[in-house]
Amino acid sequence: MLSEISIDNALRLDWPIIDVRTPKEFAQGHVPKAVNIPLFSDSERHEVGKIYNNQSQESAIEAGYKFVNPKLDSFINESRIIAPELKLIVYCWRGGLRSNSFAKHLSDNGFEDVKVIIGGYKSYRNFVFESLAKPVNIKLLGGYTGSGKTHILHELRNSGKQIIDLEALAHHKGSTFGGIGQGEQPSVEQFGNMLEFELSKLNLTEPVWVEDESHNIGRIEIPVQFFDQMQKSTIFFIDIPKEERAKHLVSEYANCDKQALADSVARISKRLGLQNSNYAIELIEKDEFYEVALITLHYYDKFYLKDINKRSSQKIIKIPLNEVNHFDNARIVEMRN
């Protein structure tokens, strides 16, 4: 059976989802649980587009069939692996020719129920935009760099609290050093998709703990609908001595590639000052990471203090702590909640 389905019903149905767009389109952004079985490769899609623009729609469709026909059996085989119960959902960019042709092919070859998302991926992006504007009961966990906020966040989750780990979604820890060892970041678009997907699992009327971040995490931008809510939320600011935070940063970064660390220092050389920057790079070569951490914290503390001073004092709950111990510190944060 072949039919259409709205995006919200498709997500509620929780069936396997196939994205038939090109690998490039898929990488730019997709429904988080979707699997990519591209009707065309990136180069094939480009070629069909050129024929459409320079000749006609009919010629483009004919060229498309030449690319697709040799793949028809593989479409069935791959889809059976993804959906062994022979029930699935398909989408393309607008729910047009690509998804309908793919879905009909499956329906004609033994699949029991194939549904095409009305409006395709474009309708999903509208859904994400609207969903991210919904009110979230955010509790913001703040603190200077090196405070172990992400570890505290995970410990809060272990104790049953709802959290959103923005840095995990962004594959970046936030600072200029934050991309080291984290792999490739998703696109800004896909980050928004993943954020909405994680929020959809939570009860948004109950508290959701989120780490205080700037608008950018590496090259990722937090969607403005969500970021505005973060900025207006109460921040639980953990205040830990710089020396203790420097020790924590050493434990986090001392085993990283020295060249990557030096490159990260060089990226903030204007803010550190050329003399401090050069000195920090020399210290990296000597494995004197604690001193490097103190130098960089001087910059990051000023940056964070400037940002926190923009917030309403009534929205800041300061929590003095003696050391970076996420087990104990998470319990203290919970008590102050």
Short mmCIF file of all heavy atoms in Angstrom, two decimals, residues 193-238:
data_model
loop_
_atom_site.label_atom_id
_atom_site.label_comp_id
_atom_site.label_asym_id
_atom_site.label_seq_id
_atom_site.Cartn_x
_atom_site.Cartn_y
_atom_site.Cartn_z
N ASN A 193 18.49 20.08 13.92
CA ASN A 193 17.66 18.87 13.84
C ASN A 193 17.89 17.96 15.04
O ASN A 193 16.93 17.43 15.63
CB ASN A 193 17.98 18.10 12.55
CG ASN A 193 17.59 18.84 11.29
OD1 ASN A 193 16.85 19.83 11.34
ND2 ASN A 193 18.08 18.38 10.16
N MET A 194 19.16 17.77 15.40
CA MET A 194 19.49 16.89 16.52
C MET A 194 19.01 17.48 17.85
O MET A 194 18.56 16.74 18.74
CB MET A 194 20.99 16.64 16.57
CG MET A 194 21.51 15.77 15.44
SD MET A 194 20.72 14.13 15.37
CE MET A 194 21.08 13.50 17.01
N LEU A 195 19.11 18.79 17.98
CA LEU A 195 18.63 19.44 19.21
C LEU A 195 17.13 19.22 19.37
O LEU A 195 16.66 18.85 20.46
CB LEU A 195 18.95 20.93 19.17
CG LEU A 195 18.41 21.77 20.33
CD1 LEU A 195 18.90 21.25 21.67
CD2 LEU A 195 18.80 23.24 20.14
N GLU A 196 16.38 19.41 18.30
CA GLU A 196 14.94 19.18 18.38
C GLU A 196 14.64 17.72 18.69
O GLU A 196 13.74 17.43 19.49
CB GLU A 196 14.28 19.58 17.05
CG GLU A 196 12.76 19.65 17.09
CD GLU A 196 12.09 18.26 17.06
OE1 GLU A 196 12.64 17.35 16.41
OE2 GLU A 196 11.03 18.11 17.70
N PHE A 197 15.40 16.82 18.11
CA PHE A 197 15.20 15.39 18.33
C PHE A 197 15.43 15.03 19.80
O PHE A 197 14.64 14.28 20.40
CB PHE A 197 16.16 14.60 17.43
CG PHE A 197 16.04 13.11 17.56
CD1 PHE A 197 14.91 12.44 17.13
CD2 PHE A 197 17.07 12.36 18.12
CE1 PHE A 197 14.80 11.06 17.24
CE2 PHE A 197 16.97 10.99 18.24
CZ PHE A 197 15.84 10.33 17.80
N GLU A 198 16.47 15.58 20.40
CA GLU A 198 16.75 15.31 21.82
C GLU A 198 15.68 15.93 22.70
O GLU A 198 15.25 15.31 23.69
CB GLU A 198 18.14 15.83 22.19
CG GLU A 198 19.29 15.10 21.54
CD GLU A 198 19.29 13.61 21.87
OE1 GLU A 198 19.08 13.26 23.05
OE2 GLU A 198 19.48 12.80 20.95
N LEU A 199 15.24 17.13 22.38
CA LEU A 199 14.19 17.78 23.17
C LEU A 199 12.88 17.00 23.09
O LEU A 199 12.11 16.97 24.05
CB LEU A 199 13.98 19.21 22.67
CG LEU A 199 15.05 20.23 23.06
CD1 LEU A 199 14.87 21.53 22.27
CD2 LEU A 199 15.02 20.52 24.56
N SER A 200 12.63 16.37 21.94
CA SER A 200 11.37 15.64 21.76
C SER A 200 11.26 14.45 22.70
O SER A 200 10.17 13.93 22.93
CB SER A 200 11.23 15.17 20.30
OG SER A 200 12.13 14.11 20.01
N LYS A 201 12.38 14.00 23.26
CA LYS A 201 12.37 12.87 24.19
C LYS A 201 12.04 13.28 25.61
O LYS A 201 11.83 12.43 26.47
CB LYS A 201 13.75 12.19 24.19
CG LYS A 201 14.23 11.69 22.83
CD LYS A 201 15.65 11.16 22.96
CE LYS A 201 16.23 10.76 21.62
NZ LYS A 201 17.64 10.30 21.76
N LEU A 202 12.02 14.61 25.87
CA LEU A 202 11.92 15.11 27.24
C LEU A 202 10.54 15.67 27.54
O LEU A 202 9.78 16.02 26.64
CB LEU A 202 12.97 16.20 27.47
CG LEU A 202 14.42 15.84 27.14
CD1 LEU A 202 15.32 17.03 27.40
CD2 LEU A 202 14.88 14.62 27.92
N ASN A 203 10.25 15.77 28.83
CA ASN A 203 9.06 16.49 29.31
C ASN A 203 9.46 17.94 29.51
O ASN A 203 10.14 18.27 30.50
CB ASN A 203 8.56 15.86 30.62
CG ASN A 203 7.33 16.56 31.17
OD1 ASN A 203 6.91 17.61 30.67
ND2 ASN A 203 6.75 16.00 32.22
N LEU A 204 9.07 18.80 28.61
CA LEU A 204 9.56 20.18 28.61
C LEU A 204 8.95 21.03 29.71
O LEU A 204 9.39 22.16 29.94
CB LEU A 204 9.33 20.82 27.24
CG LEU A 204 9.98 20.10 26.05
CD1 LEU A 204 9.82 20.92 24.78
CD2 LEU A 204 11.46 19.80 26.32
N THR A 205 7.93 20.52 30.39
CA THR A 205 7.37 21.27 31.52
C THR A 205 8.20 21.03 32.78
O THR A 205 8.11 21.80 33.74
CB THR A 205 5.91 20.86 31.79
OG1 THR A 205 5.86 19.48 32.15
CG2 THR A 205 5.06 21.10 30.55
N GLU A 206 9.01 19.96 32.78
CA GLU A 206 9.91 19.68 33.89
C GLU A 206 11.28 20.29 33.58
O GLU A 206 11.62 20.54 32.42
CB GLU A 206 10.04 18.17 34.10
CG GLU A 206 8.75 17.49 34.55
CD GLU A 206 8.32 17.96 35.93
OE1 GLU A 206 9.19 18.14 36.80
OE2 GLU A 206 7.10 18.14 36.13
N PRO A 207 12.11 20.55 34.61
CA PRO A 207 13.41 21.17 34.38
C PRO A 207 14.29 20.39 33.41
O PRO A 207 14.34 19.16 33.43
CB PRO A 207 14.03 21.21 35.78
CG PRO A 207 12.88 21.21 36.72
CD PRO A 207 11.83 20.36 36.05
N VAL A 208 14.97 21.14 32.54
CA VAL A 208 15.95 20.57 31.61
C VAL A 208 17.26 21.30 31.85
O VAL A 208 17.35 22.52 31.63
CB VAL A 208 15.50 20.73 30.15
CG1 VAL A 208 16.58 20.19 29.20
CG2 VAL A 208 14.17 20.04 29.90
N TRP A 209 18.28 20.59 32.30
CA TRP A 209 19.58 21.20 32.57
C TRP A 209 20.38 21.33 31.29
O TRP A 209 20.50 20.38 30.51
CB TRP A 209 20.36 20.37 33.59
CG TRP A 209 19.83 20.50 34.98
CD1 TRP A 209 18.87 19.74 35.58
CD2 TRP A 209 20.23 21.48 35.95
NE1 TRP A 209 18.64 20.18 36.86
CE2 TRP A 209 19.47 21.24 37.13
CE3 TRP A 209 21.16 22.51 35.96
CZ2 TRP A 209 19.61 22.01 38.28
CZ3 TRP A 209 21.30 23.28 37.10
CH2 TRP A 209 20.54 23.03 38.25
N VAL A 210 20.93 22.53 31.07
CA VAL A 210 21.71 22.82 29.88
C VAL A 210 22.94 23.61 30.31
O VAL A 210 22.86 24.49 31.16
CB VAL A 210 20.89 23.67 28.87
CG1 VAL A 210 21.73 23.98 27.63
CG2 VAL A 210 19.61 22.95 28.47
N GLU A 211 24.08 23.28 29.73
CA GLU A 211 25.30 24.02 30.04
C GLU A 211 25.27 25.39 29.38
O GLU A 211 24.87 25.52 28.22
CB GLU A 211 26.52 23.23 29.57
CG GLU A 211 27.85 23.84 29.97
CD GLU A 211 29.03 22.96 29.59
OE1 GLU A 211 28.83 21.74 29.40
OE2 GLU A 211 30.15 23.50 29.50
N ASP A 212 25.68 26.41 30.12
CA ASP A 212 25.73 27.76 29.58
C ASP A 212 26.77 27.81 28.46
O ASP A 212 27.91 27.40 28.64
CB ASP A 212 26.10 28.75 30.69
CG ASP A 212 25.99 30.19 30.25
OD1 ASP A 212 25.18 30.48 29.34
OD2 ASP A 212 26.71 31.04 30.82
N GLU A 213 26.36 28.29 27.30
CA GLU A 213 27.24 28.38 26.14
C GLU A 213 27.08 29.74 25.49
O GLU A 213 26.06 30.40 25.64
CB GLU A 213 26.88 27.30 25.10
CG GLU A 213 26.87 25.86 25.60
CD GLU A 213 28.26 25.26 25.70
OE1 GLU A 213 29.24 25.94 25.32
OE2 GLU A 213 28.36 24.11 26.15
N SER A 214 28.10 30.13 24.73
CA SER A 214 27.92 31.29 23.86
C SER A 214 27.08 30.85 22.67
O SER A 214 26.79 29.65 22.50
CB SER A 214 29.27 31.83 23.40
OG SER A 214 29.98 30.84 22.68
N HIS A 215 26.69 31.79 21.82
CA HIS A 215 25.83 31.45 20.69
C HIS A 215 26.50 30.45 19.75
O HIS A 215 25.84 29.62 19.13
CB HIS A 215 25.45 32.72 19.93
CG HIS A 215 24.34 32.55 18.96
ND1 HIS A 215 24.03 33.47 18.00
CD2 HIS A 215 23.43 31.54 18.80
CE1 HIS A 215 23.00 33.03 17.29
NE2 HIS A 215 22.63 31.88 17.74
N ASN A 216 27.83 30.52 19.67
CA ASN A 216 28.58 29.61 18.79
C ASN A 216 29.31 28.56 19.61
O ASN A 216 29.94 28.88 20.62
CB ASN A 216 29.60 30.39 17.96
CG ASN A 216 28.93 31.25 16.90
OD1 ASN A 216 28.41 32.31 17.20
ND2 ASN A 216 28.96 30.79 15.67
N ILE A 217 29.23 27.31 19.17
CA ILE A 217 30.03 26.22 19.73
C ILE A 217 30.89 25.73 18.58
O ILE A 217 30.42 24.98 17.71
CB ILE A 217 29.16 25.08 20.28
CG1 ILE A 217 28.12 25.62 21.26
CG2 ILE A 217 30.03 24.04 20.96
CD1 ILE A 217 27.16 24.55 21.79
N GLY A 218 32.15 26.16 18.53
CA GLY A 218 32.94 25.94 17.33
C GLY A 218 32.30 26.71 16.18
O GLY A 218 32.00 27.88 16.30
N ARG A 219 32.02 26.02 15.08
CA ARG A 219 31.36 26.69 13.95
C ARG A 219 29.84 26.50 13.98
O ARG A 219 29.14 26.93 13.06
CB ARG A 219 31.93 26.21 12.62
CG ARG A 219 31.73 24.73 12.34
CD ARG A 219 32.29 24.37 10.96
NE ARG A 219 32.16 22.96 10.67
CZ ARG A 219 31.05 22.37 10.23
NH1 ARG A 219 29.95 23.09 10.06
NH2 ARG A 219 31.04 21.08 9.97
N ILE A 220 29.35 25.85 15.03
CA ILE A 220 27.91 25.64 15.18
C ILE A 220 27.26 26.87 15.82
O ILE A 220 27.81 27.48 16.73
CB ILE A 220 27.64 24.41 16.07
CG1 ILE A 220 28.06 23.13 15.37
CG2 ILE A 220 26.17 24.33 16.46
CD1 ILE A 220 27.33 22.86 14.09
N GLU A 221 26.09 27.22 15.34
CA GLU A 221 25.28 28.26 15.99
C GLU A 221 24.08 27.60 16.64
O GLU A 221 23.35 26.85 16.00
CB GLU A 221 24.80 29.29 14.97
CG GLU A 221 25.91 30.15 14.38
CD GLU A 221 25.35 31.17 13.38
OE1 GLU A 221 24.11 31.18 13.17
OE2 GLU A 221 26.15 31.93 12.82
N ILE A 222 23.89 27.88 17.93
CA ILE A 222 22.70 27.38 18.61
C ILE A 222 21.49 28.09 18.01
O ILE A 222 21.50 29.31 17.88
CB ILE A 222 22.78 27.65 20.12
CG1 ILE A 222 23.99 26.95 20.72
CG2 ILE A 222 21.50 27.17 20.83
CD1 ILE A 222 24.25 27.29 22.18
N PRO A 223 20.44 27.36 17.63
CA PRO A 223 19.26 28.02 17.05
C PRO A 223 18.75 29.15 17.95
O PRO A 223 18.66 28.98 19.17
CB PRO A 223 18.24 26.88 16.95
CG PRO A 223 19.07 25.65 16.82
CD PRO A 223 20.28 25.89 17.67
N VAL A 224 18.45 30.27 17.32
CA VAL A 224 18.13 31.48 18.09
C VAL A 224 16.92 31.28 18.99
O VAL A 224 16.85 31.83 20.10
CB VAL A 224 17.94 32.68 17.14
CG1 VAL A 224 16.72 32.48 16.24
CG2 VAL A 224 17.83 33.98 17.92
N GLN A 225 15.94 30.46 18.55
CA GLN A 225 14.75 30.24 19.37
C GLN A 225 15.12 29.62 20.71
O GLN A 225 14.56 29.96 21.75
CB GLN A 225 13.74 29.31 18.67
CG GLN A 225 13.41 29.68 17.24
CD GLN A 225 14.23 28.88 16.25
OE1 GLN A 225 15.46 28.90 16.28
NE2 GLN A 225 13.55 28.15 15.37
N PHE A 226 16.07 28.69 20.68
CA PHE A 226 16.50 28.02 21.91
C PHE A 226 17.49 28.87 22.69
O PHE A 226 17.42 28.95 23.92
CB PHE A 226 17.12 26.66 21.57
CG PHE A 226 17.38 25.78 22.76
CD1 PHE A 226 16.34 25.10 23.37
CD2 PHE A 226 18.66 25.65 23.27
CE1 PHE A 226 16.57 24.29 24.48
CE2 PHE A 226 18.90 24.84 24.37
CZ PHE A 226 17.86 24.16 24.98
N PHE A 227 18.39 29.53 21.98
CA PHE A 227 19.41 30.34 22.65
C PHE A 227 18.78 31.50 23.42
O PHE A 227 19.23 31.83 24.52
CB PHE A 227 20.42 30.87 21.63
CG PHE A 227 21.57 31.62 22.26
CD1 PHE A 227 22.53 30.93 22.99
CD2 PHE A 227 21.67 33.00 22.13
CE1 PHE A 227 23.59 31.62 23.57
CE2 PHE A 227 22.72 33.68 22.70
CZ PHE A 227 23.69 32.99 23.43
N ASP A 228 17.76 32.10 22.86
CA ASP A 228 17.08 33.20 23.56
C ASP A 228 16.49 32.71 24.88
O ASP A 228 16.51 33.44 25.89
CB ASP A 228 15.97 33.78 22.68
CG ASP A 228 16.51 34.67 21.57
OD1 ASP A 228 17.71 34.99 21.61
OD2 ASP A 228 15.74 35.02 20.66
N GLN A 229 15.97 31.50 24.89
CA GLN A 229 15.44 30.94 26.13
C GLN A 229 16.56 30.67 27.13
O GLN A 229 16.39 30.87 28.34
CB GLN A 229 14.67 29.64 25.84
CG GLN A 229 13.41 29.84 25.03
CD GLN A 229 12.54 28.59 25.02
OE1 GLN A 229 12.06 28.15 26.07
NE2 GLN A 229 12.33 28.02 23.85
N MET A 230 17.72 30.22 26.65
CA MET A 230 18.86 30.03 27.54
C MET A 230 19.26 31.33 28.21
O MET A 230 19.50 31.38 29.42
CB MET A 230 20.05 29.48 26.74
CG MET A 230 19.91 28.05 26.25
SD MET A 230 21.27 27.54 25.15
CE MET A 230 22.71 27.77 26.22
N GLN A 231 19.29 32.40 27.42
CA GLN A 231 19.74 33.70 27.94
C GLN A 231 18.80 34.25 29.01
O GLN A 231 19.22 35.03 29.87
CB GLN A 231 19.85 34.71 26.79
CG GLN A 231 20.95 34.41 25.80
CD GLN A 231 22.34 34.58 26.40
OE1 GLN A 231 22.96 33.63 26.85
NE2 GLN A 231 22.82 35.80 26.44
N LYS A 232 17.55 33.84 28.96
CA LYS A 232 16.56 34.34 29.92
C LYS A 232 16.39 33.43 31.13
O LYS A 232 15.63 33.74 32.04
CB LYS A 232 15.21 34.51 29.21
CG LYS A 232 15.21 35.56 28.10
CD LYS A 232 13.91 35.53 27.32
CE LYS A 232 13.95 36.52 26.16
NZ LYS A 232 12.72 36.45 25.33
N SER A 233 17.11 32.31 31.14
CA SER A 233 16.94 31.32 32.20
C SER A 233 17.82 31.63 33.40
O SER A 233 18.84 32.31 33.30
CB SER A 233 17.27 29.92 31.67
OG SER A 233 16.42 29.57 30.60
N THR A 234 17.43 31.09 34.55
CA THR A 234 18.25 31.20 35.75
C THR A 234 19.52 30.39 35.56
O THR A 234 19.49 29.25 35.09
CB THR A 234 17.49 30.67 36.98
OG1 THR A 234 16.34 31.51 37.20
CG2 THR A 234 18.37 30.69 38.22
N ILE A 235 20.66 31.00 35.91
CA ILE A 235 21.94 30.33 35.76
C ILE A 235 22.50 29.96 37.13
O ILE A 235 22.58 30.78 38.03
CB ILE A 235 22.93 31.20 34.96
CG1 ILE A 235 24.27 30.49 34.81
CG2 ILE A 235 23.12 32.57 35.58
CD1 ILE A 235 25.21 31.17 33.82
N PHE A 236 22.83 28.69 37.28
CA PHE A 236 23.46 28.19 38.50
C PHE A 236 24.97 28.24 38.24
O PHE A 236 25.52 27.38 37.55
CB PHE A 236 22.98 26.78 38.81
CG PHE A 236 21.52 26.73 39.17
CD1 PHE A 236 20.54 26.78 38.18
CD2 PHE A 236 21.12 26.66 40.49
CE1 PHE A 236 19.19 26.76 38.51
CE2 PHE A 236 19.77 26.63 40.84
CZ PHE A 236 18.81 26.68 39.84
N PHE A 237 25.61 29.27 38.79
CA PHE A 237 27.00 29.59 38.46
C PHE A 237 27.93 28.98 39.50
O PHE A 237 27.95 29.40 40.66
CB PHE A 237 27.19 31.10 38.40
CG PHE A 237 28.57 31.52 37.98
CD1 PHE A 237 28.89 31.65 36.65
CD2 PHE A 237 29.55 31.76 38.94
CE1 PHE A 237 30.15 32.03 36.26
CE2 PHE A 237 30.82 32.15 38.56
CZ PHE A 237 31.13 32.27 37.21
N ILE A 238 28.68 27.95 39.10
CA ILE A 238 29.63 27.33 40.01
C ILE A 238 30.96 28.08 39.94
O ILE A 238 31.51 28.30 38.86
CB ILE A 238 29.81 25.83 39.71
CG1 ILE A 238 30.23 25.58 38.26
CG2 ILE A 238 28.52 25.07 39.99
CD1 ILE A 238 30.51 24.13 37.94
#
